[in-house]
Structures are given as C-alpha cells and as structure tokens.
Amino acid sequence: MIGVQTADAIRVAEQVWFEAHRGEGLMGRAAAAVAAHALEMAGTHGRVLVVVGRGNNGGDGLFAAAELARHGLPVAIWPVAETMHEQGRVAATGAGCRFVGVVEATEQVAEVDLVVDAVLGIGGRPGLRPDVLALAQEAEALGVPVLAVDLPSGLDTDSHQLQDSFHATRTITFAARKACHVLQPAASRCGEVVCVDIGIELGNSVLEVAEAGDVAVRWPVPGPTSDKYSRGVVGIDSGSAQYPGAAVLGVTGALYAGAGMIRFVGPEPADAIIRASLPSVTHGEGRVQAWLCGSGWGSADDNRARLERRLADGVPAVIDADALSVLPEHLPYGCLLTPHAGELARLLGAERAEVEADPIGSAHRAAERTGAVVLLKGASQYIVQPDGRVRVAVPGPSWTAQAGSGDVLAGICATLLAAGLPAADAGLVGASVQAMAAARRPGPWPPDDIAHEVAALVGNWGELSCR
C-alpha cells in the first residue's frame, strides 16, 4: 500500500529531522534528485527553463538549475517573485545560469526542451497568478515536458480538487505522496509521480492507495480442497422489468470473479435472460454466504420490503443503487455499501456538490451512520470504514465511466464477500481488480467484456499460487 501524508505531517517530520541534524539541510538531497530527473527528461544537450518561487521549493529549483548548468545544459531561470532563496541564487549565478523576466521566459517556452516548475511547494496556496498561469498554459499547449518539484504549482497539497496549475509530465516529490498526487481529478495534473526518500521519518498515513500486489495477495484463489460451497455462494436479487440489464451485469461480474455458485432470485425478464445466456447460474431461493441487492431495482414501492427480506438471514450484503435509499436502521455485520456521489448525497440528505467537495468526509459519515463499509465509486474510489480508516483502489482508465460498470463491480464485490473477505477488503479488491482489468483492455469496451478480463487477470494469480 502507498501511504499518503498531509503537508502538516511533512513539516513536522522535517522539523524533527532538523533538530536532530543541526547545521545540515535537506535541500541538497532534494535538488540533486530534481537535477537527475531533469537531465533525464531534457537530455544531455537540452535547453531548460526553470521557474522559481521565493521559498524552499524555489531553492530546490535554483540548486537543481546550477547542477544542470554544470553539466553543460543552457539554463534560463525566471524568478516569479522579487526575492528568492539567496544561497540558491548564488549557486545558480556561479554555475552560469541566465536570469530572465516574464516576457523572455514566456517567449522561450517554445524553444526549450523542459520546463522545471519550482514555484510553489506544499505550503503554497491553490491557484496561480495570471502571468505564471499563462506560461503554464503555453507549455501545455505546445506539449513542452514539465517537471514539477514536489507538486504542480497551483494544486492544493491536501486536496483532490482541480485548480489552475501547471500540468506536469512528471512530478518528483519527497518523503511521501500527498493527496493531490493520488486523488482525482488533481492527480491528472501530476503525470508520473516519483517519490524520493530524503531521510525523514513519518508517522501513520492519513490514507493508503492500493497497488497491484496488494490486490493479488488478497484475492481468494481456490486450492485443491476447494469446492463450490467453500469458494462462496452468492445470492443476487437485482434487476426489474425496467432495468433487466443491471441484473445480467451483476451476475456476470460475480461469475467471472469466480463465485463458487450463484443463486439468482430477481424478477423477469432478467431471470429469462440469465437462464438463456449464463447456464451455470442457479435460480431460486437457497442458502447463501453473501447477498447482492439493489442494482436495477428502480423506484418501486416494495423496495424496502425486498431489501429487508434479503437481509433477514443476517449474512453480509453488497447494497447498491436503489436499495441505498431504503436502508433499515440496523444492517447485518460486514455489509458493503457501493454508492456513487449522487446516491451517497441522497443517503446523507445532502447535495451532490457537497459529496464531491468532500468525498472522504461524506463517505465516513455514511459509514458511521450505518455501521457498514462504504465504497464510494468515481474517478478515485474510496473505501471508508466506520472507524475512519480510508483506502483508495488502484486507479483505472476513464473509459470505465459508463452505465453498467457499477453493476459489474457490485457482482465482483459480492463474490469476494461470499468467499470470506471482510467488507473493506472486498471493496478495495473488487474496485481495484475491475480497474486493472480495464487497463488491460484500453478503449470503450463494455462492462461485461471487462468482467471477462477479470477472469483472465485473476487466473494468472491462480497459476502463480500453484507454483
């Protein structure tokens, strides 16, 4: 798991380091890393424009500029403020860097091979002043590579929200990733994120982001003693006359995620479609180890009774879509709620904009209120537990933002619940594996095709576990 830290936590850790290493500094380590990446990106004969602010971030840029000039690269520096890091200025001047103003800097964007953004660091305010924004937009329009120091200037370190900022090709950050590096849409401005260890010690992360290996080790791969019951029996009550496809997609997700057995109890016409197209599915009541409820129910008057009937046996459930509007006061232990932002807003009695502005806080309120784990779907997918722990699924391509993806995801998660995974792991692994499968088939593949790709992906993990 990738740990994410706040700006305040980084500052505290840096202060502890300074107190333990009096007379030493971290800027040299940071600047050396910036210079190495800049040299790689610009090439040994590349021309570089370094845009520097007044603080330590600008100091990193100045010392990196000096190192690049010592390697023989022509380096121009635009100081965007009246003052700059003095030792860095002296080093850059001594190495032969050339200082330019805003007009020349903007003109040079079309001529350079790399722009180094060292304007604002973790202490900067969101947004850019107009002349800096104009240069950033010119670099983006011309396709000039940008190396951002710590974060693309203009982003809010601890926020997922998009701001006027540089659009980095690569961001080099220090000690740990911050929220803007990993949460969408801000992360879309960061490009490739490289985290450099500069020697400071950090505490617990505010949230964690899953990697592919975290998903693989949690996936329930069957062994030689497994049978259909030990692998998990999933009950699926989904679909309606208006939305039969939601049921078909949920069953498809469960089937290709490896459910040991599926019992479908939804209504026609979904039942007939599933009988004709997915012959391994069992139809009718019976004992199950997890339920999937709510996908494609619509706004029927009997939704509340329909959900209560499925929750009566006390097994954990994935509760999706229309069932989220009729939750009982108490849910069985181990349930997973899978709303998108609009559904979560309705559950909380809030506006969608409020959820989008604070997705983690909103999901945590729902988790506290219901006692269930909440998987908030979207460009970044948050898995939030009632105790406040937050994890983020492996990101996937934006092609998956289409109708039916959530239905498939609910089926995958229900399979994982039935196999015995805790709700938080089922949400994390389910959302991640769908994203990973979609990344293997880039383009507008429909959700049921992505479900088939899940089987191919996890099948590789099964092969590895047998070796």
Side-chain angles (χ1 to χ4, degrees), residues 178-195:
K178 293 79 180 177
C180 67
H181 297 139
V182 300
L183 304 181
Q184 295 292 0
S188 67
R189 306 295 291 180
C190 297
E192 175 194 8
V193 179
V194 178
C195 187

Side-chain angles (χ1 to χ4, degrees), residues 141-209:
L142 294 172
V144 178
V146 174
L147 174 63
V149 180
D150 218 0
L151 72 161
S153 296
L155 292 183
D156 183 342
T157 307
D158 296 329
S159 174
H160 68 290
Q161 294 185 325
L162 205 56
Q163 308 284 348
D164 286 335
S165 69
F166 278 87
H167 190 169
T169 310
R170 183 183 300 175
T171 297
I172 181 167
T173 194
F174 310 107
R177 288 168 174 80
K178 293 79 180 177
C180 67
H181 297 139
V182 300
L183 304 181
Q184 295 292 0
S188 67
R189 306 295 291 180
C190 297
E192 175 194 8
V193 179
V194 178
C195 187
V196 175
D197 181 2
I198 54 174
I200 66 175
E201 297 291 331
L202 297 167
N204 294 331
S205 303
V206 294
L207 61 87
E208 296 177 313
V209 181

Side-chain angles (χ1 to χ4, degrees), residues 74-96:
V75 180
I77 299 173
W78 174 32
V80 303
E82 294 182 0
T83 61
M84 67 187 93
H85 191 279
E86 181 58 22
Q87 291 89 346
R89 183 194 66 79
V90 170
T93 301

Side-chain angles (χ1 to χ4, degrees), residues 103-346:
V103 175
E104 188 175 355
T106 304
E107 291 174 347
Q108 283 202 359
V109 171
E111 302 174 2
V112 300
D113 300 289
L114 178 69
V115 173
V116 176
D117 161 27
V119 179
L120 299 169
I122 60 174
R125 293 182 178 179
L128 293 173
R129 75 187 202 199
D131 55 349
V132 181
L133 178 60
L135 186 143
Q137 291 174 332
E138 182 73 1
E140 183 174 358
L142 294 172
V144 178
V146 174
L147 174 63
V149 180
D150 218 0
L151 72 161
S153 296
L155 292 183
D156 183 342
T157 307
D158 296 329
S159 174
H160 68 290
Q161 294 185 325
L162 205 56
Q163 308 284 348
D164 286 335
S165 69
F166 278 87
H167 190 169
T169 310
R170 183 183 300 175
T171 297
I172 181 167
T173 194
F174 310 107
R177 288 168 174 80
K178 293 79 180 177
C180 67
H181 297 139
V182 300
L183 304 181
Q184 295 292 0
S188 67
R189 306 295 291 180
C190 297
E192 175 194 8
V193 179
V194 178
C195 187
V196 175
D197 181 2
I198 54 174
I200 66 175
E201 297 291 331
L202 297 167
N204 294 331
S205 303
V206 294
L207 61 87
E208 296 177 313
V209 181
E211 299 180 278
D214 301 311
V215 180
V217 299
R218 288 171 170 80
W219 193 267
V221 176
T225 61
S226 299
D227 59 30
K228 62 186 178 184
Y229 300 108
S230 63
R231 287 180 60 183
V233 181
V234 182
I236 297 182
D237 186 349
S238 57
S240 61
Q242 187 177 7
Y243 303 112
V248 178
L249 289 168
V251 170
T252 301
L255 189 62
Y256 284 91
M261 181 178 180
I262 298 172
R263 296 186 188 276
F264 183 73
V265 296
E268 296 289 359
D271 187 81
I273 298 170
I274 292 167
R275 286 179 187 273
S277 60
L278 299 169
S280 65
V281 175
T282 301
H283 296 255
E285 304 283 346
R287 184 177 177 183
V288 302
Q289 288 149 287
W291 277 105
L292 164 56
C293 307
S295 306
W297 281 8
S299 54
D301 292 337
D302 66 342
N303 281 353
R304 187 177 302 277
R306 188 174 175 181
L307 178 61
E308 289 176 350
R309 184 165 61 251
R310 298 306 165 206
L311 300 181
D313 56 6
V315 301
V318 173
I319 303 176
D320 186 42
D322 302 301
L324 293 166
S325 299
V326 292
L327 294 178
E329 186 174 350
H330 300 289
L331 292 172
Y333 176 77
C335 286
L336 175 66
L337 312 184
T338 55
H340 56 56
E343 291 164 343
L344 183 57
R346 288 192 291 275

Side-chain angles (χ1 to χ4, degrees), residues 13-14 17-18 24-31 60 198-200:
E14 287 177 340
W17 188 93
F18 289 133
E24 300 180 45
L26 295 168
M27 191 170 289
R29 302 181 188 186
D60 293 340
I198 54 174
I200 66 175

Side-chain angles (χ1 to χ4, degrees), residues 354-373:
E354 295 177 52
V355 172
E356 292 174 340
D358 183 16
I360 293 175
S362 299
H364 186 217
R365 287 196 297 279
E368 279 190 312
R369 181 180 301 180
T370 63
V373 174

